[in-house]
Amino acid sequence: MLAALAGLTACNGVTAGSAEPGDVRFCREVRQCPAKSPLVESITMLQQSGARPRFDPSGTRVAFDRKDDRTGFYHVYISDLDGHVVQQITGRPGDPFRRNSGNAVFSPSGRFLVFIAEENSHALDRVASTGDPGVGLFCNLWAYDRQSGAFTRLTDIEYPSSVLQGRVDYMAVVNPHFSKDGRRLLWTERYANDRKKKWGDWRVMQADVDDGHDGLQLRDIRIGYTPAQGNYVTYMGQFDSGQWLVSGNLDGQDVFGMDTYALDPASGQRRNLTRTPTFWEEDADVTRGQHVIYMSNQDSAYRYDTDRDWKKQKITREYYLTDASGAHSERLTYFNDPGAPEYLGKPAIAVASDVSPDGRLLVGTLGIDYGGQAHRMFDLSLMLIRFKNPE
């Protein structure tokens, strides 16, 4: 599913070969590490704690979220490319957010940050993880004006305040993206709580963006795409052709085997780019050269048991690259390969990521599993991958 739905729960790094959380060090003592892939020049650790990064339009800043270990809630930050946190956006005294916020994206102008924020009070709010920014349960969309410092609520989904109100519907808002022209905002919504389906029903929503002097507002909120087959879809980006990059189980396969697709939003016609219905492909990006970078467990030593809870199963994931037709796929990272320079000595997942506007960099989420053989427990870090030749 999304980054947190990949089981990303903790927020520290882990030293290669260590049994306890600590500093992530590629190539032992070398901060900037070469890589096994001939397409990758180096891999650098950007933040020892963080997830779901997105570049600003200049490619010099990254928005991300990080869990506060004292409260268990995620907050939004901005980092430069040297790893210095230059601004904390949420979780500060006086802001309207008391629980989780994250999954932030810059507007094309760079003035606004759009992110999801959990309602301060709702059913089941005694558990800090209910509004994890990778899942978006009990959340709404908000915008932050980097000029004025003002916050604006963009959606107004009402959630039950107590289980005493009756059945609790686990609705969610997650994964906001701007269209390439900046005129629309798209996001993923969990709109139905069908207990016969894994994860319920999901669809892509969209709205026109009014990016004026008075702040950012949404107009004409509407459904962008609902799967005719399957029950899960999420928007990941847009090709120059106008087609959407989405991930989901759109061919009716199990959600554990979701693929990545090029989708025509007008006709609903789609092209399956990965075609691996027994592996989980998601967290994809469109590069400047119209290639697609995505995560997959296709080379993992672990296989999902579709009859068990996915969050309790061991897994590894890597990044892969394919062309816009899906005809050629190539592995980009080898964090789980003992013979690779970037090998970390423990099971790892490469998940939520973003490609820089110039195509030279990818900022990604790296999860390292220090849970042992019986269970998994991921610590999350941010890494910066530099390509030899922008694609």
Side-chain angles (χ1 to χ4, degrees):
M1 200 175 165
L2 309 174
L5 289 179
L8 310 183
T9 56
C11 280
N12 296 308
V14 81
T15 305
S18 171
E20 298 294 336
D23 289 341
V24 175
R25 296 183 184 274
F26 298 113
C27 305
R28 300 298 178 180
E29 300 301 324
V30 180
R31 182 172 181 267
Q32 187 162 299
C33 180
K36 182 174 181 177
S37 169
L39 301 179
V40 175
E41 179 180 308
S42 63
I43 304 175
T44 302
M45 186 51 56
L46 183 65
Q47 293 287 335
Q48 293 289 338
S49 174
R52 293 167 283 273
R54 303 270 183 80
F55 279 104
D56 74 347
S58 72
T60 62
R61 295 287 189 271
V62 171
F64 69 100
D65 51 75
R66 170 189 291 168
K67 184 191 287 186
D68 185 329
D69 289 333
R70 296 169 301 172
T71 65
F73 296 129
Y74 284 86
H75 305 304
V76 179
Y77 301 83
I78 297 177
S79 170
D80 63 21
L81 299 188
D82 290 323
H84 302 120
V85 173
V86 297
Q87 188 176 7
Q88 181 175 348
I89 305 299
T90 63
R92 298 173 298 166
D95 75 24
F97 314 105
R98 298 294 172 267
R99 297 179 66 82
N100 289 289
S101 56
N103 217 314
V105 61
F106 288 94
S107 67
S109 68
R111 175 181 169 182
F112 298 98
L113 265 179
V114 172
F115 58 95
I116 68 170
E118 182 184 359
E119 292 297 294
N120 289 332
S121 178
H122 59 77
L124 308 177
D125 59 8
R126 294 185 178 182
V127 182
S129 61
T130 55
D132 185 298
V135 183
L137 294 173
F138 305 106
C139 287
N140 272 287
L141 289 170
W142 286 74
Y144 172 71
D145 189 333
R146 299 177 69 199
Q147 292 183 7
S148 68
F151 292 98
T152 303
R153 187 187 184 102
L154 301 180
T155 59
D156 195 19
I157 301 172
E158 294 186 6
Y159 296 102
S161 60
S162 168
V163 294
L164 298 179
Q165 291 183 247
R167 173 179 170 178
V168 176
D169 288 331
Y170 296 90
M171 304 300 99
V173 172
V174 73
N175 205 25
H177 287 269
F178 284 89
S179 60
K180 290 181 73 69
D181 60 11
R183 296 178 180 177
R184 286 172 298 132
L185 184 73
L186 301 99
W187 64 94
T188 302
E189 176 185 81
R190 189 179 196 267
Y191 69 94
N193 195 28
D194 189 337
R195 298 176 184 274
K196 296 180 181 179
K197 301 175 183 178
K198 294 176 183 175
W199 307 349
D201 289 303
W202 298 75
R203 63 191 177 191
V204 176
M205 300 295 292
Q206 62 179 332
D208 298 329
V209 173
D210 185 359
D211 184 350
H213 295 293
D214 295 331
L216 190 146
Q217 301 287 340
L218 299 184
R219 293 180 287 104
D220 188 20
I221 296 177
R222 56 200 185 273
I223 298 171
Y225 176 77
T226 303
Q229 298 184 69
N231 61 296
Y232 180 73
V233 64
T234 186
Y235 177 91
M236 291 290 172
Q238 185 179 352
F239 293 96
D240 287 346
S241 65
Q243 290 184 315
W244 293 357
L245 178 68
V246 301
S247 293
N249 61 335
L250 307 188
D251 294 315
Q253 69 270 45
D254 194 277
V255 288
F256 290 173
M258 71 173 69
D259 287 317
T260 295
Y261 301 81
L263 171 72
D264 182 340
S267 67
Q269 293 183 343
R270 63 186 184 271
R271 184 173 67 257
N272 192 328
L273 302 179
T274 50
R275 301 183 299 279
T276 53
T278 59
F279 301 118
W280 184 335
E281 277 97 21
E282 200 188 7
D283 286 339
D285 304 287
V286 180
T287 72
R288 188 181 65 171
Q290 303 302 285
H291 288 73
V292 174
I293 295 174
Y294 61 96
M295 73 167 201
S296 177
N297 65 320
Q298 61 186 268
D299 290 311
S300 177
Y302 306 98
R303 292 291 180 268
Y304 276 122
D305 180 346
T306 58
D307 294 325
R308 293 177 54 214
D309 185 349
W310 60 271
K311 298 184 296 297
K312 298 179 180 179
Q313 300 184 49
K314 304 288 282 188
I315 198 65
T316 59
R317 291 190 175 102
E318 304 283 357
Y319 290 139
Y320 297 78
L321 176 76
T322 188
D323 58 27
S325 70
H328 174 73
S329 181
E330 184 172 350
R331 185 169 167 177
L332 289 178
T333 60
Y334 293 82
F335 298 114
N336 298 284
D337 183 345
E342 63 263 45
Y343 177 61
L344 289 167
K346 301 189 83 58
I349 52 175
V351 284
S353 63
D354 192 38
V355 179
S356 63
D358 63 7
R360 297 181 179 277
L361 301 171
L362 181 139
V363 60
T365 307
L366 176 68
I368 302 177
D369 183 357
Y370 67 96
Q373 296 297 321
H375 68 286
R376 70 185 198 180
M377 185 177 294
F378 284 105
D379 274 12
L380 308 184
S381 302
L382 298 186
M383 57 185 164
L384 199 64
I385 295 176
R386 185 177 301 275
F387 296 112
K388 293 179 179 178
N389 296 299
E391 290 284 348

